[in-house]
Amino acid sequence: MQVSSLNEVKIYSLSCGKSLPEWLSDRKKRALQKKDVDVRRRIELIQDFEMPTVCTTIKVSKDGQYILATVVTFEILSDDYSKIVFLHNDRYIEFHSQSGFYYKTRIPKFGRDFSYHYPSCDLYFVGASSEVYRLNLEQGRYLNPLQTDAAENNVCDINSVHGLFATGTIEGRVECWDPRTRNRVGLLDCALNSVTADSEINNLPTISALKFNGALTMAVGTSTGQVLLYDLRSDKPLLVKDHQYGLPIKSVHFQDSLDLILSADSRIIKMWNKNSGKIFTSLEPEHDLNDVCLYPNSGMLLTANETPKMGIYYIPVLGPAPRWCSFLDNLTEELEENPESTVYDDYKFVTKKDLENLGLTHLIGSPFLRAYMHGFFMDIRLYHKVKLMVNPFAYEEYRKDKIRQKIEETRAQRVQLKKLPKVNKELALKLIEEEEEKQKSTWKKKVKSLPSILTDDRFKVMFENPDFQVDEESEEFRLLNPLVSKISEKRKKKLRLLEQQELREKEEEEELEGKPSDAESSESSDDEKAWVEEVRKQRRLLQQEEKVKRQERLKEDQQTVLKPQFYEIKAGEEFRSFKDSATKQKLMNKTLEDRLKIEAKNGTLSVSDTTVGSKQLTFTLKRSEQQKKQQEAEKLHRQERKRLRRSAGHLKSRHKRGRSFH
């Protein structure tokens, strides 16, 4: 049993450690209790209180005799376990009686939560749909669904006093419906009200938990870790509590005797006063949470974790222990009267590597070392004595560490050394300077920071591959960046300073004093006149460079002797002048209307009217000389074959009498 305390409120964890099996004899149990302090302090409330798999929901029956846990969710319709409805993750709904499985049906969309309306015997299902499905258990059929304005619904609850039905949507709203008229009677924008001055919201808060208390109070949990307390007569929350973890609120419960609200996310359970909002106490389990359940009329707390093992916690301030474990009250009183020290307060935990450094590996297996997890516990006095004998120069190491810390503090006052990439160093330095300026600006706190190009994987090749090196001598770069000469000189100077500083820091590894780098004098940006003069200067330089290049090309052309070039024409083709290609190119540059007029004039295009009043265009394709020659040769070949063909009329047989051949 572990005990934790916050704000003088003690919480007893009754599920830590392994439980003793029932088949052990009393003699062995007594022997284990004498030998192991953990076994002596262990309290076994429920033998092997764990499920076959990880559960997301845990509840206790109204009579307090049964604890149930499932994967999605369920509802106990009776005081005991005789009537239960289960919602599965495959859209099936199962009804179980005391004897076991009773009936199974299915809803149209995947469900996430449901509630039972006792006056009308209706089950309300919400899930991946804008509709709220209603199943009447008295008639045994589905009723017309409720149509919400949301795309999907996450959670729902029904007020036990007046029967108001509420559902939480993914848009961060809560819609309230009257089951009698099946009309929406209220709408709360919890996403807008959950944003406070201290909260940092990166996405739209959705509703993840919902719970009524009495006739007028409702608590709402969001996916960003806020809990809002509402009075149904107002659309503004009475209190807004932030868990500060940014995790979705898993469960919300009310503790009426102390006016407390219990809200839980996957990491922590917070208990706070619903009137003042002051934190009463908090609990951080060893495993991530899925659901929390308050045992009826007691101070016991049950949790469903990300492991099959369930959690049991007892908080005496919240209420008495349940009847079946009433001995907890007397036990906690004895523990308060006789507090025990921690078992390993006077021991030092060491690993096997530590033992090798101390030269104590020969003590493994002896009473001086107690094996625990991946190492050993040893007496703290023995540890200090051996360490002093093995390392008598501990003071020198301590002095070197202090000197090293002093050097680091001195370096922090200098210009911080930046690791620049191998390619495009000046561009990287420019991006770093812009990022520092953004961080210094005041509006940076209110605007979401964008990822830097230096840390973005999509642009990492630009700073690794030399093919992406920026050519600062190109005409485009110099015209687009007229002030690049001055700015680049500043950055080159800064790069040299950074490289010199890096060399100095490598040399002064053990020096205490050091001269900080001189801060570069800040220069104001040039005005418009200086910018225009710089542009003109760059343009004159480019014109001069272009003039020099033209003169060099002219000299090369004068020195070059032109020689005639010959081209071979393929067999079967005849040479045509270059005028045909020029004419064809000129024709292709004309508009479609002009080309149609030219084609009509040449006779290759004919336009005619149809009977329905439309126009019909007929094109005659031009043939090349080779195609004309081939067509003429085929015509002559057909005429020659026609002259040489002999008639086959003499082969016809005369009609003879006789029976036919079959």
Side-chain angles (χ1 to χ4, degrees):
M1 180 174 61
Q2 293 181 353
V3 183
S4 60
S5 178
L6 180 66
N7 295 338
E8 298 182 356
V9 178
K10 292 192 176 181
I11 302 175
Y12 297 87
S13 177
L14 308 177
S15 57
C16 61
K18 297 181 179 179
S19 58
L20 294 176
E22 295 181 350
W23 45 265
L24 280 180
S25 62
D26 296 337
R27 182 180 178 181
K28 288 187 178 181
K29 287 182 179 180
R30 288 192 299 269
L32 287 174
Q33 289 176 357
K34 292 179 180 179
K35 184 178 180 181
D36 196 340
V37 179
D38 291 337
V39 175
R40 187 165 62 249
R41 299 181 62 183
R42 182 179 296 122
I43 299 175
E44 299 181 46
L45 289 181
I46 304 176
Q47 181 74 25
D48 294 332
F49 186 47
E50 61 183 42
M51 299 296 172
T53 183
V54 175
C55 298
T56 59
T57 307
I58 184 170
K59 292 182 181 180
V60 181
S61 61
K62 294 180 181 180
D63 58 5
Q65 298 296 319
Y66 303 96
I67 301 174
L68 298 91
T70 59
V71 176
V72 179
T73 186
F74 66 97
E75 188 70 33
I76 304 173
L77 304 184
S78 59
D79 293 340
D80 53 5
Y81 72 97
S82 59
K83 294 180 182 179
I84 309 175
V85 182
F86 295 95
L87 174 62
H88 295 280
N89 54 7
D90 55 357
R91 295 193 289 134
Y92 274 105
I93 304 167
E94 283 192 7
F95 296 86
H96 284 245
S97 63
Q98 192 170 3
S99 59
F101 172 77
Y102 180 75
Y103 184 73
K104 182 166 69 173
T105 184
R106 207 173 190 184
I107 55 177
K109 297 293 180 66
F110 289 96
R112 295 172 183 169
D113 196 9
F114 72 98
S115 296
Y116 181 60
H117 188 245
Y118 282 89
S120 62
C121 298
D122 289 343
L123 285 172
Y124 289 77
F125 296 92
V126 299
S129 173
S130 61
E131 296 179 336
V132 179
Y133 304 112
R134 297 191 301 147
L135 176 61
N136 187 271
L137 301 185
E138 184 179 8
Q139 303 177 22
R141 65 184 183 91
Y142 282 100
L143 305 178
N144 292 332
L146 305 179
Q147 182 63 47
T148 65
D149 294 338
E152 296 178 2
N153 296 277
N154 291 333
V155 291
C156 64
D157 193 23
I158 293 179
N159 193 298
S160 59
V161 178
H162 46 66
L164 184 68
F165 172 76
T167 175
T169 68
I170 62 171
E171 291 84 4
R173 298 187 180 94
V174 174
E175 296 188 10
C176 298
W177 294 73
D178 189 350
R180 298 170 299 179
T181 60
R182 298 185 296 279
N183 294 325
R184 192 177 69 184
V185 295
L187 180 65
L188 295 175
D189 193 348
C190 301
L192 182 62
N193 295 326
S194 65
V195 180
T196 59
D198 300 332
S199 60
E200 296 182 2
I201 305 299
N202 297 326
N203 49 17
L204 178 67
T206 63
I207 307 301
S208 59
L210 186 64
K211 191 70 174 179
F212 280 109
N213 181 43
L216 300 175
T217 307
M218 179 179 66
V220 179
T222 65
S223 60
T224 53
Q226 289 82 30
V227 181
L228 297 87
L229 184 64
Y230 280 93
D231 188 316
L232 295 181
R233 295 168 293 186
S234 173
D235 60 348
K236 301 296 181 182
L238 301 175
L239 286 173
V240 178
K241 298 294 293 184
D242 196 340
H243 273 218
Q244 304 296 333
Y245 283 108
L247 300 173
I249 302 298
K250 298 279 189 177
S251 180
V252 178
H253 294 278
F254 289 88
Q255 213 281 341
D256 296 327
S257 61
L258 297 177
D259 289 336
L260 297 179
I261 296 178
L262 279 73
S263 55
D265 57 22
S266 60
R267 192 172 297 179
I268 192 172
I269 303 173
K270 287 192 175 183
M271 308 173 197
W272 43 282
N273 189 280
K274 68 179 182 180
N275 298 321
S276 63
K278 184 179 179 181
I279 293 293
F280 179 72
T281 187
S282 62
L283 170 64
E284 294 188 17
E286 55 181 345
H287 302 291
D288 289 345
L289 291 171
N290 286 331
D291 193 17
V292 177
C293 175
L294 271 175
Y295 203 92
N297 303 320
S298 72
M300 184 171 287
L301 197 66
L302 305 176
T303 62
N305 309 319
E306 283 294 338
T307 60
K309 190 174 183 180
M310 301 296 165
I312 306 176
Y313 301 91
Y314 178 52
I315 310 175
V317 182
L318 293 178
R323 289 185 301 173
W324 54 274
C325 57
S326 57
F327 61 89
L328 285 177
D329 293 329
N330 299 329
L331 186 60
T332 54
E333 292 177 1
E334 293 177 2
L335 290 175
E336 292 178 0
E337 293 176 358
N338 301 317
E340 296 184 13
S341 60
T342 307
V343 180
Y344 298 118
D345 281 347
D346 298 330
Y347 286 82
K348 171 70 176 177
F349 180 80
V350 292
T351 61
K352 191 172 182 180
K353 187 176 181 181
D354 296 335
L355 294 177
E356 292 176 357
N357 296 333
L358 296 174
L360 298 179
T361 54
H362 62 282
L363 295 181
I364 297 177
S366 66
F368 295 100
L369 296 178
R370 178 178 295 184
Y372 184 77
M373 295 179 64
H374 62 285
F376 306 89
F377 275 111
M378 66 179 302
D379 192 282
I380 191 68
R381 295 169 296 179
L382 176 62
Y383 173 79
H384 288 308
K385 187 180 294 185
V386 174
K387 189 175 182 181
L388 183 61
M389 294 173 61
V390 172
N391 190 8
F393 303 101
Y395 176 74
E396 291 296 329
E397 294 182 0
Y398 172 77
R399 180 175 173 274
K400 289 182 180 180
D401 292 338
K402 285 295 182 182
I403 294 175
R404 192 177 295 109
Q405 292 177 6
K406 194 69 176 178
I407 293 175
E408 294 297 332
E409 292 176 0
T410 309
R411 287 176 180 173
Q413 301 174 1
R414 306 177 185 176
V415 177
Q416 295 295 326
L417 183 64
K418 307 175 182 66
K419 291 185 178 180
L420 298 178
K422 298 180 181 179
V423 182
N424 291 326
K425 289 186 177 181
E426 295 187 11
L427 177 60
L429 186 60
K430 175 186 174 184
L431 295 174
I432 292 174
E433 291 175 354
E434 293 178 353
E435 188 68 22
E436 291 176 352
E437 292 177 0
K438 288 181 180 180
Q439 291 178 356
K440 293 178 182 178
S441 60
T442 56
W443 58 268
K444 181 66 180 176
K445 299 179 181 178
K446 301 180 180 179
V447 180
K448 181 181 178 182
S449 61
L450 298 175
S452 175
I453 296 179
L454 292 171
T455 58
D456 198 333
D457 293 338
R458 297 175 295 176
F459 303 99
K460 66 178 182 180
V461 183
M462 189 170 64
F463 301 100
E464 297 176 356
N465 193 343
D467 296 337
F468 291 91
Q469 178 67 43
V470 177
D471 186 8
E472 298 182 0
E473 300 298 329
S474 63
E475 179 180 355
E476 295 84 359
F477 183 84
R478 294 170 65 179
L479 288 177
L480 292 174
N481 301 271
L483 300 179
V484 72
S485 58
K486 293 185 178 181
I487 299 176
S488 61
E489 288 298 328
K490 288 173 59 179
R491 293 207 178 95
K492 288 178 181 178
K493 183 179 179 182
K494 195 168 185 178
L495 282 173
R496 288 195 296 270
L497 289 174
L498 291 175
E499 291 176 356
Q500 293 175 4
Q501 181 182 349
E502 184 178 7
L503 292 175
R504 286 199 304 269
E505 289 184 353
K506 288 182 179 178
E507 294 174 356
E508 56 177 20
E509 193 60 37
E510 295 185 357
E511 293 183 2
L512 180 60
E513 297 181 356
K515 296 182 180 180
S517 302
D518 295 335
E520 185 179 353
S521 60
S522 59
E523 299 179 0
S524 59
S525 60
D526 297 333
D527 55 0
E528 185 178 357
K529 184 177 179 180
W531 185 83
V532 173
E533 291 178 357
E534 187 67 25
V535 172
R536 291 175 179 174
K537 182 180 178 182
Q538 292 292 334
R539 189 173 293 277
R540 286 196 299 269
L541 291 175
L542 290 174
Q543 290 176 356
Q544 292 176 3
E545 293 176 0
E546 185 65 26
K547 185 177 179 180
V548 173
K549 290 180 181 179
R550 284 201 303 268
Q551 292 176 357
E552 292 178 355
R553 287 198 298 267
L554 183 60
K555 290 181 180 179
E556 291 178 359
D557 294 341
Q558 291 176 356
Q559 296 175 359
T560 304
V561 179
L562 298 178
K563 296 181 180 180
Q565 295 183 356
F566 299 93
Y567 298 91
E568 182 180 358
I569 300 176
K570 293 182 180 181
E573 295 184 358
E574 62 180 15
F575 174 74
R576 295 189 298 273
S577 64
F578 295 103
K579 293 182 179 180
D580 295 341
S581 60
T583 305
K584 186 175 181 181
Q585 183 66 28
K586 188 181 295 183
L587 182 63
M588 294 299 295
N589 293 334
K590 292 182 178 295
T591 62
L592 179 61
E593 181 181 4
D594 296 338
R595 289 164 60 187
L596 291 177
K597 290 180 181 179
I598 295 173
E599 295 291 343
K601 188 181 295 184
N602 295 336
T604 58
L605 172 68
S606 61
V607 183
S608 60
D609 297 329
T610 61
T611 57
V612 294
S614 60
K615 296 283 187 179
Q616 181 177 354
L617 299 179
T618 305
F619 290 90
T620 303
L621 299 177
K622 290 185 178 180
R623 297 187 180 92
S624 62
E625 295 295 332
Q626 185 176 359
Q627 290 177 343
K628 289 180 180 179
K629 289 182 180 180
Q630 184 177 359
Q631 189 176 6
E632 188 68 25
E634 291 177 355
K635 185 177 179 181
L636 294 175
H637 179 70
R638 287 195 298 270
Q639 291 177 357
E640 184 180 358
R641 291 291 301 271
K642 192 173 183 181
R643 289 195 305 268
L644 297 177
R645 188 178 63 183
R646 294 180 298 176
S647 175
H650 65 281
L651 298 178
K652 293 182 179 180
S653 60
R654 297 178 180 179
H655 181 71
K656 296 182 180 181
R657 293 181 179 180
R659 63 179 184 177
S660 59
F661 177 75
H662 295 284

